[in-house]
């Protein structure tokens, strides 16, 4: 046993102008379909990635960045900060104590509004080291952030999903 891989999958929701709840989930998969004798990984989203509220001026081009290490929000270009609490996303991974894990998320996602507009989050990143490892209690907490690219005149409450996948190395 132990040749299989256990996977955990979660979806982090990200918002501009509105925050919401995540739907954590988990799963277990064996290398050859056999039953794997290891603790399955579970990813739980604790905090949603939230870019808060903003508007654009004349050109409508700009960027809002959230740093996963500090949670700091930076606004650049023709973006006007309207206040509110911007938050880096955070998650907890649980599984077998001491195991090295690989956590994947896309480099970018598209967010849409009910009015039909869309914007993109690029440079999605975490504060994890390259050799992420569960602690002695089988836990690993991490944060994630990214850059919200605004191009043109768009309006609304934008929503998107960030799939986060974790597996044992």
């Amino acid at each position: 046993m132990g040749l299989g891989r256990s996977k955990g999958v979660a979806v982090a929701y990200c918002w501009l102008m509105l925050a919401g709840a995540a739907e954590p989930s988990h799963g277990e998969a064996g290398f050859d379909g056999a039953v794997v004798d290891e603790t399955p990984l579970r990813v739980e989203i604790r905090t949603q990635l939230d870019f808060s509220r903003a508007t654009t001026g004349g050109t409508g081009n700009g960027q809002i960045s959230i740093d996963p290490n500090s949670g700091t929000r930076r606004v650049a270009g023709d973006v006007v900060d309207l206040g509110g609490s911007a938050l880096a996303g955070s998650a907890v991974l649980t599984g077998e104590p001491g195991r090295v894990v690989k956590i994947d998320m896309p480099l970018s996602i598209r967010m849409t509004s009910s009015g039909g507009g869309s914007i993109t989050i690029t440079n999605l990143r975490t504060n994890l080291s390259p050799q992420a490892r569960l602690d002695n209690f089988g836990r690993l907490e991490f944060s994630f952030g990214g850059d919200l690219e605004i191009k043109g005149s768009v309006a609304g409450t934008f929503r998107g999903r960030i799939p986060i996948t974790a597996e044992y190395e």
Side-chain angles (χ1 to χ4, degrees), residues 68-127:
N69 294 305
S70 65
T72 304
R73 174 180 156 176
R74 288 187 321 264
V75 176
D78 197 22
V79 175
V80 178
D81 184 356
L82 295 178
S85 297
L87 301 168
S90 67
V92 175
L93 179 64
T94 56
E96 273 190 43
R99 292 284 302 268
V100 174
V101 292
K102 177 182 175 188
I103 298 172
D104 286 316
M105 58 193 314
L107 294 177
S108 66
I109 64 151
R110 194 177 109 181
M111 293 175 57
T112 58
S113 75
S114 58
S118 70
I119 53 181
T120 303
I121 299 175
T122 61
N123 195 23
L124 281 165
R125 57 199 178 274
T126 70
N127 64 347

Side-chain angles (χ1 to χ4, degrees), residues 95-101 131-139 168:
E96 273 190 43
R99 292 284 302 268
V100 174
V101 292
Q131 282 282 315
R133 182 181 300 274
L134 298 172
D135 67 15
N136 291 337
F137 300 103
R139 292 176 49 87
Y168 292 120

Side-chain angles (χ1 to χ4, degrees), residues 8-88:
V9 179
V11 176
Y13 293 90
C14 54
W15 304 88
L16 175 63
M17 297 191 202
L18 181 66
E23 296 177 14
S25 62
H26 67 281
E28 183 174 359
F31 179 76
D32 59 0
V35 175
V36 179
D37 191 22
E38 60 186 18
T39 305
L41 286 168
R42 178 177 164 85
V43 181
E44 179 184 345
I45 304 302
R46 291 288 177 96
T47 307
Q48 303 306 314
L49 178 58
D50 186 342
F51 289 91
S52 191
R53 300 175 342 144
T55 190
T56 57
T59 67
N61 295 327
Q63 181 181 70
I64 302 171
S65 298
I66 298 184
D67 179 46
N69 294 305
S70 65
T72 304
R73 174 180 156 176
R74 288 187 321 264
V75 176
D78 197 22
V79 175
V80 178
D81 184 356
L82 295 178
S85 297
L87 301 168

